[in-house]
Amino acid sequence: MKPVARKIGIIGHGAIGARVAADVAAGKVAGASLEGIVSRSPVPNAPAARLDMAEALERCDVLVECAGQEALAEHGEAVLSAGVDLLATSLGALADPDLSGRLSAAGPGRLFLTSGSIGGLDLLASGARATGYDAVKITTTKLPASLVQPWMDEKEEDRIRNTAVPLEIYQGPADQATRLFPKSLNVAAAVALAVADWGVDVSVRVDPAARLTTHVIEAAGNSGTYRFEICNQVSPQNPRTSGIVPFAVLRSLELIVGARGGII
Ligand SMILES: NC(=O)c1ccc[n+]([C@@H]2O[C@H](COP(=O)([O-])OP(=O)(O)OC[C@H]3O[C@@H](n4cnc5c(N)ncnc54)[C@H](O)[C@@H]3O)[C@@H](O)[C@H]2O)c1
């Protein structure tokens, strides 16, 4: 007998959420059906009805957060407490120890974190479990405009926007990086979570000639020495997001739904 499809709700219908919703609606995730979309703004061309959070918790088995750190902070605990599984993209929200503690304690829903725009997290987590690391670093390079933040003063904004050469604009721990660049440094959070250390060293660089968004992840420890270099095309819908992210979310979702096996 064919198992009943698990009902999926998507929080956010932007660059990531719209593609995830479309592919789930089109039956491209084994064992999943699209139940609805939770969004702050209207979703005129969405493939399913807009739900408020109470309706989503009533009707969905899995919610997929594609809306930002604030949304994960706002809804995460209620989702898990309602017994609904939650797949998150905005991992930087977990740099807040209070939120992170509350989400770890909440259930019976389970919190899953997508690998998003990077890879190698499985190996990094295996090494952390084995013996830990002496040093872990991530260097992220993006186009200047995508890294300008509301907290920057005019001088810093000009320096970034008008640089003719590559420039390091941040160097420090992952928790601070993801707070300062909430829409762009979820990757730093992903590495920190994989190695269970928010002190992971982060370098953020702008490069006016960058055609791709680049992440270089380096880790050294007793289990080995690892180096991953990821060069992503940006999303045509949102230059702060890599185009690969919705497909990482779809892959994660298919594994959670569990209708078939695969690389984990
Ligand atoms: N893990 C990763 O590698 C990775 C990579 C890129 C982006 N992200 C995360 O994904 C988020 C979404 O990215 P995007 O490119 O789709 O952004 P986007 O701006 O294109 O879309 C965001 C959508 O969420 C909606 N929204 C915002 N706050 C909401 C709330 N509280 N409740 C419901 N809906 C809300 C907006 O209306 C919009 O439809 C980013 O903010 C970032 O935190 C993670």
Side-chain angles (χ1 to χ4, degrees), residues 18-104:
R19 181 62 199 238
V20 172
D23 277 21
V24 177
K28 292 183 183 173
V29 176
S33 68
L34 185 65
E35 188 66 16
I37 289 154
V38 179
S39 174
R40 260 188 191 166
S41 36
V43 287
N45 299 314
R50 190 170 165 200
L51 306 176
D52 64 29
M53 188 46 77
E55 290 169 320
L57 294 182
E58 187 70 29
R59 289 169 50 175
C60 297
D61 302 308
V62 183
L63 284 178
V64 186
E65 174 277 309
C66 308
Q69 292 190 16
E70 259 182 57
L72 182 56
E74 187 184 338
H75 301 299
E77 202 175 352
V79 174
L80 301 175
S81 300
V84 174
D85 287 340
L86 176 59
L87 171 60
T89 65
S90 300
L91 314 192
L94 301 174
D96 172 0
D98 175 55
L99 178 69
S100 178
R102 283 189 287 117
L103 295 188
S104 298

Side-chain angles (χ1 to χ4, degrees), residues 181-250:
F181 303 91
K183 296 184 179 172
S184 303
L185 263 295
N186 284 292
V187 288
V191 172
L193 288 159
V195 303
D197 178 6
W198 284 101
V200 160
D201 186 25
V202 179
S203 168
V204 181
R205 298 169 73 252
V206 295
D207 181 351
R211 290 284 156 269
L212 303 166
T213 291
T214 304
H215 308 286
V216 177
I217 302 162
E218 295 158 293
N222 285 343
S223 60
T225 302
Y226 309 118
R227 186 178 190 281
F228 308 97
E229 179 167 352
I230 295 133
C231 305
N232 280 322
Q233 297 284 355
V234 299
S235 161
Q237 283 80 32
N238 182 355
R240 291 180 196 263
T241 290
S242 292
I244 193 73
V245 179
F247 304 96
V249 173
L250 287 159

